[in-house]
Amino acid sequence: METDLGRFGRARNRYFHMNENIFRVKVFDKNQRLNVLCLGAHPDDIEIGCGGTILRLKEEMPEAQFCWVVFSGNEIRRKEAYGSATLFLDKVKAKSIDVQCFRESYFPFEGDKIKDYFEKLAKEFSPDIVFTHYKADAHQDHRVISDLTWNTFRHHFILEYEVPKYDGDLETPNLYVLLEDAHVKRKIDNLLEGFPTQRQKPWFDEETFRSILRIRGVESRSPSKYAEAFHCRKIVL
Ligand SMILES: [Zn+2]
């Protein structure tokens, strides 16, 4: 997996390079059964934040196992969440998709129950990489999921994804995943197909999704022009 670590320099193949020839850290091996945990407070968060990276990961690491958890959704949106996860994880051999029904917008007041869920999850699945919300996300539900991710998975490689919103809370990321045109198109097509109830929202369209990928592509000098970006708070070497 080729990843750009922003200010830390560019990574190629299976390694993150920090000062070429001085420091190498093996992160992914193509044939390892990488355990990937994807966490999202609401239906569509995971797809918006890291859908392109998931598409790339499953291509480059065919043995990867995915555990996909959405923490809220009414009956209709839960169906959409299952359907969309199935689209994004198409052809993945080992996957589990769980859509919970914690009360949307009230996560800070449901924290004990959500924490219990995290503890159960940690006993059942041992992730090599975790995708979760950004710690400084303006949405209270997103922050609860981010905090409990760190609180539960204390020695893990965690990447926090971005979700554009009215609050204007995007910050400067420090890890970029370059995407091919095909990943960009598939991500956007899947989002539009997977969440018909969201299409009435003025921001839920191709232009929004493509724009943020384009900006992150500029920052990472992506050959395809597109990238997804993450906040990586901690790497242990
Ligand atoms: Zn959300």
Side-chain angles (χ1 to χ4, degrees):
M1 183 165 199
E2 185 171 330
T3 307
D4 195 309
L5 275 175
R7 65 197 167 92
F8 295 119
R10 174 159 292 203
R12 292 185 186 82
N13 302 325
R14 295 178 297 146
Y15 303 93
F16 285 149
H17 293 236
M18 298 182 72
N19 266 342
E20 203 131 15
N21 302 326
I22 296 176
F23 220 105
R24 285 187 173 191
V25 184
K26 179 175 172 185
V27 177
F28 303 137
D29 183 318
K30 184 175 184 294
N31 295 314
Q32 86 181 72
R33 298 194 78 184
L34 190 78
N35 278 353
V36 184
L37 177 59
C38 307
L39 302 171
H42 313 115
D44 76 20
D45 285 337
I46 297 170
E47 293 88 337
I48 291 171
C50 60
T53 301
I54 299 300
L55 293 171
R56 191 175 155 192
L57 252 180
K58 73 171 189 179
E59 256 176 42
E60 295 184 17
M61 305 200 62
E63 300 304 319
Q65 308 184 93
F66 288 83
C67 176
W68 184 292
V69 182
V70 175
F71 285 84
S72 67
N74 61 28
E75 197 177 333
I76 294 170
R77 296 213 69 205
R78 292 177 78 232
K79 266 190 201 145
E80 287 183 339
Y82 275 114
S84 171
T86 305
L87 280 176
F88 275 87
L89 298 179
D90 177 40
K91 297 195 176 101
V92 170
K93 292 179 216 157
K95 61 192 162 199
S96 71
I97 301 166
D98 187 14
V99 184
Q100 288 289 309
C101 46
F102 294 103
R103 191 178 177 197
E104 183 172 346
S105 301
Y106 287 79
F107 279 18
F109 312 104
E110 301 247 290
D112 56 343
K113 287 182 240 151
I114 299 174
K115 174 61 177 166
D116 287 344
Y117 179 89
F118 266 89
E119 288 303 317
K120 180 170 157 287
L121 180 62
K123 287 194 182 89
E124 293 168 355
F125 192 75
S126 175
D128 298 298
I129 179 167
V130 184
F131 294 101
T132 191
H133 288 280
Y134 179 42
K135 68 166 180 176
D137 193 295
H139 197 299
Q140 70 278 9
D141 292 351
H142 295 183
R143 287 197 304 278
V144 167
I145 298 304
S146 184
D147 289 346
L148 289 177
T149 302
W150 282 92
N151 172 293
T152 306
F153 299 100
R154 303 184 71 83
H155 307 288
H156 296 72
F157 181 49
I158 297 174
L159 295 181
E160 300 173 5
Y161 58 75
E162 315 179 279
V163 178
K165 62 179 75 62
Y166 294 127
D167 311 76
D169 60 354
L170 297 179
E171 294 189 12
T172 307
N174 60 4
L175 189 145
Y176 295 83
V177 175
L178 308 181
L179 300 177
E180 302 290 343
D181 287 338
H183 302 131
V184 174
K185 182 171 188 317
R186 176 57 50 203
K187 170 179 176 170
I188 295 170
D189 287 351
N190 283 358
L191 270 163
L192 298 179
E193 182 185 336
F195 296 99
T197 64
Q198 301 307 97
R199 293 181 74 161
Q200 62 196 356
K201 292 186 173 166
W203 59 270
F204 196 96
D205 61 17
E206 170 167 4
E207 208 172 354
T208 301
F209 301 135
R210 192 172 282 276
S211 298
I212 185 163
L213 297 177
R214 181 73 183 96
I215 294 294
R216 299 318 186 197
V218 168
E219 293 168 353
S220 56
R221 288 211 316 179
S222 170
S224 76
K225 306 202 275 190
Y226 298 103
E228 269 174 351
F230 299 87
H231 298 270
C232 181
R233 271 196 249 176
K234 183 171 80 173
I235 303 176
V236 179
L237 302 178

